[in-house]
Amino acid sequence: MLDRFFDWLEDHRKTNIILLFIYYLGVVLPHEWVGKMTVKIFGGLSRQNYNLLIAFLVFMGLAGLSILFFRKWKAHPKKTALSIYIVSTFILIMLCFKVFFVVNIEAIHFAQYAGFVLLSYPLFKNSVTTFMISGLAGAIDEWYQYSVLAPQNTNYYDFNDVIINLIGAAIGLIIIKLHQRKDIGYEWRSFYKNLEFRILFVFLIILIGGYLTGYVSIYDDPSNPALFSFVKIPEQSFWTIPPGPPAKFHVLRPLEGIVLIIAVCGFYFGLNRIY
């Protein structure tokens, strides 16, 4: 069924672009609204029970996906290599629950960006491009939440969520690879000609130019505030403990976030060789 869906999207590129745009605006960007809705629905539960319920639903969903695609995995000619990515992704998901989440509804990012990849892959037919475009979309998503949607609710640009978005994108790519969709060869020697690198280059120029001119800063300086600061108030320790019931999570600092983004991207670029 998914194969027919991918084929249809490849044959209707304009419709695919419109669907992806609508999905991003209507499903991805409002993820904070999804969180608020689940809190209303399960508002009678304690934070601990709420987290346990969401974790249970997420892992039941992963179990369902495993059962649904088991035959695809079993028949895959490169199932050993693909298994490495599947197991690694499952481990990364568990680490997100243990290290990055204070409220487990953050797992909604996994589903949102898996869906984003399923819609965007037919446009590019390449794992590297799709993964990078998804990462850039996730970075913009977090900027929108941090600077526009709810600037009063957070003290930092959320690199945690950028990583979570990338793992969600990886889930989508794994589903595609289980269907043995063959990538168009990626031209690493002329990478600078590719769309995703041009977009990334523009972002880097804006950030570097902003930093050199004082419009962008790593840490906010109240005596000389920048137009955009990645961190308004620095965390004082490795673990952040929010108010309310006992809980803790780690907030990625900018350097940690950048290094981890590069590592995650480098790892999942290898999916380009699996078909």
Side-chain angles (χ1 to χ4, degrees):
M1 184 175 178
L2 273 178
D3 277 317
R4 291 197 298 271
F5 177 65
F6 294 143
D7 290 337
W8 185 87
L9 289 176
E10 288 177 8
D11 293 336
H12 300 81
R13 288 181 60 82
K14 290 182 179 178
T15 303
N16 191 354
I17 292 170
I18 293 170
L19 287 174
L20 182 62
F21 186 70
I22 292 172
Y23 179 86
Y24 187 66
L25 293 182
V27 178
V28 173
L29 289 184
H31 61 258
E32 186 167 303
W33 176 83
V34 174
K36 289 179 179 178
M37 285 298 297
T38 59
V39 169
K40 287 183 179 179
I41 294 171
F42 303 111
L45 298 176
S46 66
R47 178 189 286 170
Q48 183 178 8
N49 289 335
Y50 173 73
N51 278 341
L52 285 172
L53 174 62
I54 298 299
F56 172 77
L57 293 175
V58 169
F59 285 101
M60 285 296 292
L62 290 173
L65 284 175
S66 300
I67 295 169
L68 182 63
F69 295 116
F70 177 75
R71 288 185 180 178
K72 292 283 187 183
W73 170 82
K74 192 174 181 181
H76 202 284
K78 295 188 176 181
K79 64 181 177 182
T80 301
L82 193 55
S83 295
I84 293 172
Y85 286 97
I86 293 171
V87 173
S88 298
T89 302
F90 186 76
I91 291 171
L92 288 173
I93 289 171
M94 290 192 293
L95 286 173
C96 285
F97 274 91
K98 295 294 291 183
V99 180
F100 291 160
F101 293 172
V102 62
V103 181
N104 285 347
I105 194 59
E106 289 291 326
I108 192 68
H109 291 251
F110 297 141
Q112 287 172 319
Y113 279 87
F116 185 90
V117 163
L118 295 180
L119 284 173
S120 58
Y121 181 86
L123 286 173
F124 308 111
K125 301 178 186 177
N126 184 280
S127 299
V128 175
T129 300
T130 302
F131 197 72
M132 286 195 67
I133 292 294
S134 301
L136 288 167
I140 294 170
D141 178 14
E142 299 313 320
W143 168 83
Y144 174 72
Q145 180 175 324
Y146 176 58
S147 300
V148 180
L149 189 62
Q152 71 285 354
N153 290 345
T154 183
N155 294 323
Y156 51 85
Y157 177 82
D158 204 339
F159 282 98
N160 290 32
D161 281 359
V162 176
I163 297 298
I164 297 164
N165 298 340
L166 286 173
I167 295 171
I171 294 171
L173 277 180
I174 288 169
I175 292 172
I176 288 167
K177 291 301 174 179
L178 284 167
H179 286 78
Q180 299 185 39
R181 310 295 292 193
K182 188 174 182 179
D183 281 9
I184 295 173
Y186 196 83
E187 295 295 334
W188 285 105
R189 291 182 180 179
S190 55
F191 69 90
Y192 52 87
K193 295 181 180 180
N194 297 320
L195 172 66
E196 66 278 10
F197 277 99
R198 291 180 179 182
I199 295 173
L200 181 60
F201 181 74
V202 170
F203 270 97
L204 289 175
I205 291 297
I206 291 172
L207 287 174
I208 293 170
Y211 182 76
L212 293 175
T213 56
Y215 287 103
V216 175
S217 67
I218 305 299
Y219 295 96
D220 186 41
D221 181 0
S223 64
N224 186 26
L227 184 64
F228 176 86
S229 297
F230 281 96
V231 180
K232 297 174 187 173
I233 301 176
E235 301 298 320
Q236 299 303 311
S237 61
F238 183 86
W239 293 111
T240 296
I241 301 176
K248 63 180 180 179
F249 67 106
H250 177 60
V251 174
L252 285 171
R253 278 63 169 178
L255 181 58
E256 289 178 317
I258 292 169
V259 170
L260 198 51
I261 287 169
I262 293 171
V264 170
C265 287
F267 177 67
Y268 283 109
F269 284 172
L271 283 168
N272 190 59
R273 298 189 296 270
I274 296 177
Y275 53 87

